[in-house]
RNA sequence: GGUGAGGUAGCUCAGACGGUUAGAGCGAGGGAUUCAUAACCCCUAGGUCGGGAGUUCGAUUCUCCCCCUCACCA
C-alpha cells in the first residue's frame, strides 16, 4: 500500500448563530464535519478544524435588549454553551472563535478596503421599513402583517408562509413592527452594495465541473440563469456589528463578516500557535479548504463568499459540502412546535457517540434531509454497536484472560482473513473521503458480521473444554481480537470514545488508520470492560419528555384526501400527544384499520358544520375552499379535495361533519383548519356526509 | 409556480453502462448454539423495482407522459 501524500487541509463548519444553545440540527453538521476531519487526521494529513460563533446582527441585538444584557454578554454566554456542548459531542475543533473579535474586525476591514479599491462596492439609496418609536430600520422578518395575496394574518414582511407569495414589507396589509408594535413607515437610506455581477465569469468557472455536489451545481445553474444581483452589505444603526470605515452610522451586514470568521478564527489560531496563516488563503495556496454547510446557505457559500474572497485577493474554497436538515421522528425540528431537541438535552440522557454513529449510518454525499427516527436509533445502536461490534471483543476476551493469562498468541490463526480486513481499509477510506459515511458504515458492519461468523465457526468454547487445545483457543481468540481491533480503527472517526476504550483494552497507543494493517501479536491485553452498553428505550422517552411537553404531530399529509377510509386510518394513526409511537408504526392498510378504543375515538373532535361559502381555488384542480361555521368553535377555512364532485353553489348552506381538531395544514393556497368528512373512491365519486335535519353548527358528533 | 431529489421487501436503504432465480441491514417467523451485554450463528421475504406508453430480441435499469413524496427559491 502506498502512503498517500501528506495533504494540508482547512475544514470549517458553518458558524452557529450566538442567539441560542445548539440543537441536534446543528450537531448533525458538526458531527459530519468532525468525522471527516478525524478521518483525515488518522490518514496522516494535516487537518485543521476552524470555526467560530456568529455573533452579529439584529436578532442578537434585540435578544440581548430583551434580556436586559449587552450583546457582548449574550454572545459570551452562548459561546460558552456552544463550546461546552461541542466538546461533549467530541467535536475535535482546533479553534472556536467569535466573529465579534479584534481579528475579525481586522480581516473584515482589510477585505472591505480591498473590495473598495477594486471598485467592487457601489452606493444606492433604498427605501426600507422604519420603526419610528424604536428608531431603527426593520429587517423584513421584523415586520408582520396580513398577506396581500391570500389574506393570511401575521405573516413575515418578505414572504407569506401560507400562500408562498413574496413581497416587501410595504406590501403587507396592517403592517406592524415586531419591535415596538407600531406601524412602520417607509424611509430612505443609502446602502453599500457588493457588485456580485463583476464576478460572474470567475464564479461560473469556479462552480463548473464536478467541484460541487450535483444538486448544488443544478441549483447554481438556476441562479446564474436568473442573473446575479448585487448584494446589500450595509445596515443602518442601531446594529450590533462592525461599523463601516469612512461612513457614519453604518455597519456591515452580519452575512458579510460571518464567513470572514473562517479567516479570522484561523488567524487567531495561527498567531497563537505560530502557524502560517497566508499558507491557507494566498491565491496560489497548496492547502485544501472545505466548508461544510447546511443546504440553506448554499447561495452565500458558493456565490457571495468565493466572490468576496476573489475580490479581496484570496483563494476560493476547494469545495463546499452541503447537507440536508434533520427531522426527528419525521417532524421538522421547531421550537414553536415543541420538536426541538437541544444538544444539552441529548447529552443529559444519551451518549453523544451513539448519535454520531446513527448520523454516520445515514449520511451520504447528498443534500437530502435526514430523519432521526428514535426507535430505529435504539435498534440500530443496540444491534450494530453492542450486539455485533463490541460483542467480538467481549466474547474473545474471557478466553484470553482465563486460558492464556491475558496474552495474545504470537501468530494469527487465519492470516488470509486478517488480510481481507486490512484490504478493506482502502475501500472504507475511499467512502469516508467521499463523505459517503453510510457506505462506510455498511462496509464496516459487513466486516463485523464476518468476524462474528468466524468465531462462531471456530467455536473456541468447544475447544476450551479440552486442555490440550489451549493454544488453538488462544489463536482463534487472538484472531477475533485482531479483527475487532481493525474494526475499532475503521470506526474511530465516528466513535472516538469507543476506539479509545478499545485502545486501552488492547494496551495500544492512539491508533492511526495505517495501524490497522499490522496485526497485534504476542502482547498482553487488559481486562475487558464493557466498551458500550445498550440504549435503554426509557432514556429516549425521558429525552423526549424533557425536550418539550409533547411532540405534537404536524398536519396530515393532505387535507384533500376525504375518503372515509382515509379519515379512519388517519384518526387511528395519529392519536394526539403520541406522535412518537405513531410515527414508528407502519400505517394500517385502509381496508382493515386497526381497532381503537373509545378513548382513541373520542380524541377526534367531530362537529356539525354549516358550509357558509365555497369557491374554486385558482391553480388547484381538485380543491374547493370552504368557509364553515362550527358554532361555538367559530368559523374556519377548510380546503377539501371535492372539486370534481361538487359545484361550489351546491354546497353553500349545507350542513356536514368536520374533524375540528385536526392540526391546521398549511397549503399553498392558504391554511386548512379541519377536514370535511366524505366517502367514496375520489374523482367525481365523492359524497359529503350530512346530518339529519335538526342538527346545528357546532354540535359534537359521537 | 419554478427548480432539484426521490418513489425498489413491514421499516431504512443498496443496486442494475438493459440480459439467467432484484439485494443488504433491521423487524417478524422457524431452527441451532451457549463463549459473549436475552448477545451470536443458520434458514425463511415470494416485492407487478409508483402508474401508463414507447425504444429493444429483452427494461425495474433508456425515452416520454402522468401520479405521489420531500426539499430549496438569495
Amino acid at each position: 500500500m502506498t502512503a498517500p501524500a501528506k495533504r494540508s487541509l482547512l475544514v470549517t463548519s458553518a458558524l452557529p448563530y450566538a442567539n441560542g444553545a445548539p440543537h441536534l440540527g446543528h450537531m448533525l453538521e458538526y458531527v459530519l464535519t468532525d468525522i471527516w476531519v478525524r478521518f483525515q487526521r488518522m490518514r496522516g494529513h494535516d487537518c485543521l478544524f476552524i470555526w467560530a460563533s456568529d455573533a452579529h446582527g439584529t436578532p442578537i441585538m434585540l435578544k440581548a435588549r430583551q434580556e436586559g444584557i449587552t450583546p457582548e454578554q449574550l454572545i459570551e454566554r452562548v459561546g460558552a454553551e456552544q463550546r461546552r456542548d461541542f466538546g461533549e459531542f467530541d467535536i475535535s475543533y482546533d479553534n472556536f472563535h467569535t466573529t465579534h473579535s479584534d481579528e475579525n474586525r481586522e480581516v473584515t476591514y482589510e477585505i472591505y478596503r480591498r473590495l473598495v479599491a477594486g471598485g467592487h462596492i457601489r452606493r444606492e439609496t433604498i427605501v426600507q421599513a422604519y420603526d419610528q418609536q424604536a428608531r431603527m430600520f426593520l429587517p423584513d422578518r421584523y415586520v408582520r402583517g396580513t398577506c396581500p395575496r391570500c389574506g393570511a394574518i401575521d405573516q413575515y414582511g418578505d414572504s407569506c408562509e401560507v400562500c408562498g407569495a413574496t413581497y416587501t414589507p410595504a406590501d403587507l396589509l396592517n403592517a406592524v413592527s415586531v419591535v415596538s408594535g407600531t406601524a412602520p413607515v417607509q424611509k430612505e437610506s443609502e446602502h453599500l452594495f457588493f457588485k456580485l455581477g463583476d464576478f460572474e465569469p470567475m464564479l461560473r468557472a469556479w462552480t463548473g465541473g464536478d467541484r460541487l455536489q450535483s444538486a448544488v451545481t443544478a441549483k447554481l445553474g438556476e441562479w446564474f440563469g436568473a442573473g446575479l444581483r448585487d448584494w446589500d452589505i450595509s445596515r443602518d444603526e442601531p446594529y450590533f456589528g462592525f461599523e463601516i470605515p469612512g461612513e457614519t452610522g453604518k455597519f456591515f451586514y452580519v452575512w458579510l463578516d460571518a464567513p470572514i470568521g473562517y479567516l479570522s478564527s484561523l488567524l487567531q489560531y495561527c498567531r497563537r500557535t505560530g502557524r502560517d496563516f497566508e499558507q491557507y488563503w494566498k491565491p496560489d495556496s497548496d492547502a485544501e479548504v472545505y466548508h461544510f454547510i447546511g443546504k440553506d446557505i448554499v447561495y452565500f457559500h458558493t456565490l457571495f463568499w468565493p466572490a468576496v474572497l476573489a475580490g479581496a485577493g484570496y483563494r476560493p474554497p476547494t469545495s463546499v459540502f452541503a447537507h440536508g436538515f434533520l427531522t426527528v421522528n419525521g417532524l421538522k425540528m421547531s421550537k414553536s412546535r415543541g420538536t426541538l431537541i437541544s444538544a444539552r438535552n441529548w447529552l443529559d440522557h444519551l451518549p453523544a457517540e451513539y448519535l454520531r454513529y446513527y448520523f454516520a449510518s445515514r449520511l451520504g454525499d447528498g443534500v437530502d434531509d435526514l430523519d432521526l427516527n428514535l426507535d430505529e436509533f435504539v435498534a440500530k445502536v443496540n444491534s450494530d454497536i453492542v450486539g455485533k461490534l463490541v460483542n467480538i471483543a467481549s466474547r474473545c476476551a474471557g478466553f484470553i484472560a482465563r486460558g492464556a493469562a491475558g496474552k495474545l498468541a504470537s501468530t494469527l490463526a487465519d492470516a488470509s482473513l486478517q488480510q481481507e480486513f486490512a484490504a478493506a481499509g482502502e475501500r472504507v477510506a475511499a467512502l469516508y473521503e467521499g463523505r459517503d459515511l453510510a457506505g462506510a458504515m455498511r462496509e464496516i458492519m459487513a466486516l463485523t458480521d464476518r468476524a462474528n461468523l468466524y468465531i462462531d465457526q471456530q467455536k473456541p468454547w468447544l475447544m476450551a473444554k479440552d486442555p490440550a487445545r489451549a493454544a488453538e483457543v488462544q489463536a482463534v481468540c487472538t484472531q477475533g481480537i485482531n479483527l475487532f481491533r481493525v474494526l475499532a480503527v475503521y470506526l474511530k472517526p465516528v466513535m472516538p470514545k469507543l476506539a479509545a476504550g478499545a485502545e486501552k483494552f488492547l494496551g495500544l497507543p492512539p491508533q492511526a488508520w495505517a495501524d490497522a494493517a499490522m496485526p497485534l501479536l504476542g502482547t498482553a491485553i487488559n481486562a475487558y470492560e464493557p466498551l458500550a452498553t445498550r440504549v435503554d428505550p426509557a432514556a429516549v422517552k425521558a429525552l423526549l419528555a424533557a425536550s418539550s411537553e409533547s411532540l405534537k404531530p404536524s398536519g396530515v399529509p393532505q387535507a384533500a384526501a376525504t375518503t372515509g377510509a382515509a379519515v379512519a386510518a388517519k384518526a387511528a394513526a395519529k392519536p394526539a400527544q403520541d406522535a412518537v409511537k405513531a410515527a414508528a408504526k407502519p400505517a394500517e392498510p385502509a381496508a382493515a384499520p386497526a381497532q381503537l378504543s373509545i378513548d382513541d375515538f373520542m380524541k377526534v373532535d367531530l362537529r356539525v358544520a354549516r358550509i357558509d361559502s365555497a369557491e374554486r381555488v385558482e391553480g388547484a384542480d381538485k380543491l374547493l375552499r370552504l368557509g364553515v361555521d362550527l358554532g361555538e368553535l367559530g368559523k374556519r377555512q377548510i380546503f377539501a379535495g371535492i372539486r370534481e364532485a361538487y359545484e361550489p353553489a351546491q354546497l353553500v348552506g349545507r350542513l356536514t361533519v368536520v374533524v375540528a381538531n385536526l392540526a391546521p395544514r398549511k397549503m399553498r393556497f392558504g391554511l386548512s383548519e379541519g377536514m370535511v368528512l366524505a366517502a367514496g373512491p375520489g374523482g367525481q365519486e365523492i359524497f359529503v356526509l350530512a346530518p339529519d335535519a335538526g342538527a346545528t353548527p357546532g354540535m359534537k358528533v359521537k
Side-chain angles (χ1 to χ4, degrees), chain A residues 127-132 136-138 182-188:
Chain A
V127 175
Q128 237 187 322
Y130 184 80
D131 185 324
Q132 288 176 305
M136 63 180 286
F137 284 96
L138 295 166
T182 60
V185 299
Q186 297 297 309
K187 189 171 166 178
E188 284 192 345

Side-chain angles (χ1 to χ4, degrees), chain A residues 435-653:
Chain A
R435 299 175 331 285
D436 183 359
L437 303 185
M441 295 308 105
R442 267 198 302 278
E443 196 74 43
I444 292 170
M445 289 324 300
L447 292 171
T448 304
D449 285 343
R450 183 79 189 78
N452 272 310
L453 177 56
Y454 167 79
I455 296 164
D456 204 70
Q457 286 168 338
Q458 297 300 315
K459 305 195 193 317
W461 54 92
L462 293 186
M463 300 176 190
K465 291 180 176 164
D466 180 358
R469 301 181 74 186
E472 260 185 278
V473 174
Q474 186 192 20
V476 166
C477 291
T478 295
Q479 178 74 57
I481 282 175
N482 266 279
L483 298 178
F484 169 74
R485 187 271 194 115
V486 174
L487 296 171
V489 170
Y490 292 168
L491 201 58
K492 188 174 174 180
V494 177
M495 304 190 72
K497 280 209 172 76
L498 179 80
E503 284 157 359
K504 185 181 165 217
F505 164 58
L506 299 170
L508 288 169
Q511 299 285 286
W513 196 266
D515 293 328
M518 288 165 291
L520 184 64
L521 296 168
T523 61
I525 59 172
N526 295 307
Y528 178 80
E529 291 167 31
L531 291 167
T533 53
R534 308 180 82 77
V535 178
D536 182 355
V540 171
K541 257 190 167 168
L543 166 77
L544 291 174
S547 285
S548 64
E549 321 75 50
S550 61
L551 268 178
K552 298 192 196 86
S554 66
V556 293
Q558 264 299 351
T562 54
T563 64
V567 171
K570 279 168 189 164
K574 297 256 181 202
Q577 310 292 322
D578 205 11
V580 181
K581 262 159 75 183
K585 278 184 188 156
E588 295 293 334
Q595 290 193 341
L596 70 170
S597 70
I598 185 72
D599 289 341
D600 285 337
F601 175 72
M602 292 310 286
K603 288 176 183 167
V604 183
D605 188 17
L606 296 173
R607 298 285 184 146
V608 172
R610 187 178 61 229
I611 301 174
D612 287 338
S613 66
E615 60 189 86
R616 297 193 166 204
V617 180
E618 189 83 16
D621 48 14
K622 290 181 183 168
L623 294 181
L624 289 183
R625 185 203 312 269
L626 305 179
V628 299
D629 184 349
L630 292 180
E632 62 185 35
L633 296 183
K635 293 178 191 277
R636 303 269 186 92
Q637 167 174 280
I638 294 179
F639 287 90
I642 57 175
R643 171 160 168 180
E644 291 173 66
Y646 288 91
E647 285 300 317
Q650 289 176 266
L651 293 167
V652 176

Side-chain angles (χ1 to χ4, degrees), chain A residues 148-408:
Chain A
R149 187 164 102 184
C150 76
I153 59 165
D154 201 29
Q155 294 303 310
Y156 287 121
D158 52 353
S159 65
C160 174
E161 287 197 300
V162 174
C163 76
T166 56
Y167 39 74
T168 71
D171 300 326
L172 276 182
L173 310 173
N174 308 318
V176 163
S177 162
V178 171
V179 180
S180 71
T182 60
V185 299
Q186 297 297 309
K187 189 171 166 178
E188 284 192 345
S189 170
E190 187 181 66
H191 279 236
L192 300 174
F193 286 77
F194 172 64
K195 290 153 74 179
L196 184 61
D198 289 0
F199 298 90
E200 179 163 348
M202 170 263 158
L203 289 170
R204 279 188 185 272
W206 182 75
T207 57
D210 55 2
R211 175 189 301 278
L212 302 168
Q213 292 145 297
S214 56
V216 171
T217 304
K219 193 69 197 170
L220 280 160
E222 196 183 319
W223 284 327
F224 280 125
L228 301 182
R229 273 190 252 156
D230 291 347
W231 182 33
D232 184 354
I233 58 162
S234 69
R235 293 294 184 269
D236 292 295
E237 65 179 353
Y239 195 80
F240 183 56
F242 293 140
E243 255 190 300
I244 301 180
E247 311 287 328
T248 31
K250 295 204 181 298
F251 289 76
F252 287 119
Y253 177 40
V254 54
W255 259 110
L256 178 74
D257 70 66
I260 293 173
Y262 296 141
L263 274 70
S264 60
S265 181
L266 177 70
L267 180 63
Q268 186 199 38
Y269 177 80
C270 288
R271 284 179 178 164
R272 191 172 73 227
T273 58
R275 282 206 183 218
D276 178 13
F277 172 79
E278 288 297 321
Q279 170 210 342
Y280 291 96
W281 290 101
K282 63 185 179 187
D284 58 345
S285 169
D286 293 328
E288 301 167 44
V289 175
Y290 299 100
H291 299 305
F292 284 80
I293 59 166
K295 63 185 178 182
D296 54 329
I297 54 176
V298 164
Y299 196 97
F300 286 99
H301 281 81
T302 58
L303 295 176
F304 288 144
W305 179 232
V308 166
L309 286 169
Y314 292 110
R315 52 81 56 88
T318 309
S319 191
V320 172
F321 301 139
H323 60 80
F325 292 144
L326 181 71
T327 57
V328 176
N329 283 338
L331 301 176
K332 271 189 190 175
M333 295 236 295
S334 143
K335 215 182 239 175
S336 56
R337 244 178 288 181
T339 54
L340 193 126
I341 301 177
S342 70
R344 171 50 35 195
N345 191 19
W346 181 278
L347 290 165
D348 285 344
H349 293 90
L350 290 159
E353 195 135 300
Y354 289 168
L355 187 61
R356 292 174 63 106
Y357 176 71
Y358 182 82
F359 282 165
S361 75
R362 300 288 306 268
L363 274 167
D365 173 39
V367 296
D368 298 329
D369 286 355
L370 186 159
D371 185 43
L372 168 58
N373 180 305
L374 287 161
D375 287 341
E376 189 195 322
F377 163 80
V378 172
K380 194 160 192 61
V381 167
N382 287 348
S383 167
D384 289 0
I385 301 304
V386 183
K388 291 178 177 180
L389 180 75
V390 164
N391 184 50
I392 301 169
S394 173
R395 68 195 306 199
C396 291
F399 292 112
I400 296 291
R402 291 190 300 271
K407 219 177 150 202
L408 295 176

